[in-house]
Amino acid sequence: MMRKFIFMILLAAQTLGCSGGEVPEALPSGSGDAGQGSGSEGGQGSGTILYVSSAEELKALGTVAAGTVVVWRNGLYGDQVAELKSAGTTENPVVLRAEKPGAVCFTGASRISVSGTWAEVNGFWWRNPEPVKGKAVITLAKGSSHCTVRDCAVTGDSTKEDAETDTKWVSLYGTDHRVEGCTFRDKRNIGTLLVVWLETGVTPRHTIAGNRFERPVTLCDDNGKAINGQETIRIGTSDYSMQEAACTVEDNYFYHCHGEQAEIVSNKSCGNVYRRNLFVECQGTLTMRHGNNCTVTGNYFVGNGMSGTGGIRLIGEGHTVEHNYLEGLAGTGYRSAICLVRGQENPALSGYWQVKNAKVRYNMVYDCKYGLNVNYASSSSNQVVPVVSTVIEGNTVSATSSGYAVDCATEPAAPEIEWNDNKLYGRQRGVSLPSLTSAPAKPNVQPAMNAIREAAGCSWKTE
C-alpha cells in the first residue's frame, strides 16, 4: 500500500525499535548523531530539511514553511510537549518525521499538538504515556485542516490501570484529517482512545484507515460494572449528534477491544461510513448510538464463541447495514450480531431515538447466539417506540442451537418491517418466516480478513 511504501525505503532490510535507554543507530545520510541539537540544510521552504531533537527546538522553528521536512533525531525522549505549526499546501506539505520509523520514542507526559494546514507526522512512538487529565497524546487542533498522522504508535503495555484520569490518545478537531497505518495498543486509563470532536458549522470529513487497535483492559466500578467511556473510537458527542460529520472509518483491525464492553465504536453524528473493518474477539459492538444516515458495509466480525462479542447495533434514522460478515458472536441483547433497538418517546439528544427507514440487507450471519435481534430493549427501560419503515432483505442467518436466527419483540408495540428473501436457519421468536432445513454453507472470507489484518498498523515492530 502507498502509505507504507516510503517507510520500506527507509527501513531497507531491517526494522529497529527502541527499548530501555538505548539510542538506535542514526540514518547515515547527513543526519549526524542523536542528541546533537538542531540543524538545517538551507532555510525553510520547499526541499528544506531541518533536524531537531527536542520540543523546544521544534517550537523555535515557528510556523514551518510549505515543503519543509523536519527530522527528529533518533533517541529516547521524556516529557516532550511538542507543537508543530504548519503552513503546508496540497503540493508542498510540511513533514515532521522520525529519523528512522519507530526509533524516536517518547515517554512520560510527552504529547504533540498540530495546527495549521497540510502537515504530516510520521514514524513516532509514544510508549507508556503518562495520562495528563484533559490532554491527548496526539491532537490535531481546532482550525487545522488536511493533516495526517501516519505510521505512528501509542502503546500502554506497562501503564497502570487508572479509572480516574480521563484522557484521549488521539483528539481530532478541524477538517479533512487522516489517521492511517498506526498502532494503538493497551490503553489502560479511562477515556475514549480516539475521538472526533464536532464544532458548530464544521463538517470534519476525517478518515481513519488501516490502523490496528487493541484495548483488552476493562475498568470497572466498585460493583464490578464496566465504567462508561472506554470506547476505542467515538465520532461526535450527544450534543452534536444531529450534525453531519461525514467521516470514514475503513480497513482497520480491532482485536480484543473490550473497553466498556458495550461500544467498541460509538457513532454520535451523521453521515459516517464504516467499511472493510475487521473485529476479532471484541466484547461490544459497532454502535450507531446517536445520529442518522450512516453506512456500515463490508465489515467482518468474528467472535470465536467469546462471551459478549457482538456486531452492529442500530439506533436512529436512515442507516444502511449491508454486505457484512458476522460469525461466532456469543453476545445477547444489545450485543447481538445485528440489533435494532426500540426508541424512547420524545428522546433527549442523549437518549434512544427511534429506528426508522433502516436497510439491513445482504449480510451473512453464521453460528451466532442471536442473529437478528429486532425491536429490542432491556426489560427495565422506557424504550417503547418500535422500529418502523425498515427493510430486512437478502440476509443469510444461522444461529447456534441455544440461540435465535430472528428474535423480534412485538410488545409493547409491534415493529413495521418488510422482510424479503432472507435465508434463515435456527429458531425464530416473534415472527414466522420461511426457514432453511439445513445450515447454509459459509463462504471463504479468510483471505479478505487476513489482508486487512496484515496491512493494518505501523510498518515497524512495537513489541
Side-chain angles (χ1 to χ4, degrees):
M1 296 175 65
M2 285 300 297
R3 62 185 175 79
K4 295 185 182 291
F5 178 73
I6 58 171
F7 302 111
M8 297 305 294
I9 297 174
L10 293 173
L11 287 172
Q14 184 181 22
T15 300
L16 293 176
C18 64
S19 60
E22 296 181 1
V23 179
E25 181 183 355
L27 288 176
S29 179
S31 60
D33 296 326
Q36 287 188 348
S38 63
S40 67
E41 296 177 7
Q44 285 193 33
S46 183
T48 299
I49 301 176
L50 305 175
Y51 295 87
V52 299
S53 56
S54 69
E56 290 77 11
E57 291 174 5
L58 179 62
K59 182 178 180 180
L61 298 179
T63 300
V64 181
T68 303
V69 175
V70 181
V71 179
W72 196 306
R73 297 182 186 277
N74 295 339
L76 184 65
Y77 299 90
D79 300 322
Q80 296 291 304
V81 181
E83 182 178 3
L84 173 64
K85 296 180 179 180
S86 172
T89 65
T90 309
E91 297 80 10
N92 293 293
V94 168
V95 177
L96 171 65
R97 66 170 177 85
E99 190 171 23
K100 180 176 287 188
V104 176
C105 295
F106 298 113
T107 62
S110 297
R111 55 188 183 270
I112 189 169
S113 175
V114 180
S115 59
T117 57
W118 294 99
E120 179 180 312
V121 175
N122 72 52
F124 296 99
W125 185 359
W126 287 267
R127 195 175 63 198
N128 298 319
E130 178 184 327
V132 179
K133 191 170 184 177
K135 302 295 183 181
V137 177
I138 301 168
T139 300
L140 302 187
K142 289 183 178 180
S144 61
S145 69
H146 297 93
C147 297
T148 297
V149 179
R150 179 180 288 124
D151 205 39
C152 292
V154 186
T155 60
D157 309 270
S158 298
T159 55
K160 296 180 180 179
E161 294 184 14
D162 181 354
E164 301 297 327
T165 312
D166 187 317
T167 69
K168 282 48 175 181
W169 276 3
V170 181
S171 282
L172 302 181
Y173 298 90
T175 64
D176 300 287
H177 299 317
R178 297 185 65 89
V179 178
E180 62 180 13
C182 295
T183 295
F184 302 100
R185 186 180 65 241
D186 213 358
K187 187 176 189 291
R188 293 169 175 253
N189 70 298
I190 197 70
T192 305
L193 192 155
L194 185 155
V195 178
V196 173
W197 300 98
L198 268 65
E199 307 164 60
T200 301
V202 176
T203 302
R205 295 186 300 273
H206 304 318
T207 298
I208 301 162
N211 304 287
R212 181 184 178 111
F213 295 96
E214 298 179 48
R215 191 169 189 173
V217 172
T218 296
L219 300 170
C220 298
D221 60 21
D222 294 338
N223 297 316
K225 183 178 179 181
I227 303 170
N228 192 36
Q230 299 180 69
E231 306 97 330
T232 298
I233 294 176
R234 190 183 77 227
I235 300 181
T237 59
S238 300
D239 291 344
Y240 289 91
S241 58
M242 295 304 166
Q243 184 169 317
E244 190 84 0
C247 292
T248 300
V249 179
E250 62 186 4
D251 299 313
N252 300 286
Y253 175 40
F254 298 84
Y255 177 68
H256 283 189
C257 288
H258 305 324
E260 64 183 25
Q261 300 196 348
E263 300 174 32
I264 307 163
V265 177
S266 183
N267 183 91
K268 294 186 175 181
S269 51
C270 300
N272 300 307
V273 176
Y274 302 89
R275 63 188 172 208
R276 296 188 308 271
N277 300 287
L278 171 61
F279 298 80
V280 175
E281 296 180 355
C282 295
Q283 294 175 319
T285 63
L286 168 55
T287 304
M288 304 298 103
R289 183 61 184 87
H290 304 307
N292 302 322
N293 303 316
C294 294
T295 299
V296 181
T297 182
N299 301 281
Y300 301 85
F301 298 81
V302 178
N304 293 325
M306 178 184 286
S307 64
T309 51
I312 303 159
R313 178 160 56 122
L314 291 188
I315 302 157
E317 301 183 13
H319 299 308
T320 298
V321 176
E322 61 186 8
H323 302 295
N324 300 286
Y325 182 90
L326 307 98
E327 180 182 354
L329 302 172
T332 62
Y334 289 128
R335 291 183 290 184
S336 299
I338 299 177
C339 182
L340 282 67
V341 178
R342 290 200 303 269
Q344 296 169 315
E345 294 180 335
N346 303 313
L349 284 175
S350 59
Y352 286 84
W353 289 68
Q354 183 181 30
V355 174
K356 183 185 298 185
N357 298 322
K359 295 180 179 64
V360 179
R361 57 195 183 189
Y362 315 123
N363 301 286
M364 295 179 285
V365 183
Y366 295 93
D367 300 333
C368 293
K369 181 85 170 179
Y370 280 74
L372 300 173
N373 199 346
V374 181
N375 211 35
Y376 175 80
S378 62
S379 58
S380 60
S381 75
N382 61 350
Q383 295 162 231
V384 297
V385 182
V387 175
V388 297
S389 303
T390 288
V391 176
I392 299 179
E393 65 180 2
N395 303 286
T396 300
V397 182
S398 69
T400 60
S401 58
S402 60
Y404 291 89
V406 180
D407 189 0
C408 182
T410 57
E411 299 290 341
E416 178 193 303
I417 295 172
E418 181 181 332
W419 300 87
N420 296 324
D421 302 321
N422 298 287
K423 298 177 181 180
L424 307 173
Y425 179 76
R427 295 190 297 169
Q428 300 178 25
R429 183 163 58 184
V431 293
S432 181
L433 301 167
S435 61
L436 302 174
T437 58
S438 60
K442 298 177 185 177
N444 181 16
V445 298
Q446 197 62 51
M449 294 194 298
N450 289 345
I452 295 171
R453 182 187 294 108
E454 291 166 6
C458 57
S459 66
W460 42 275
K461 299 293 184 182
T462 60
E463 290 77 15

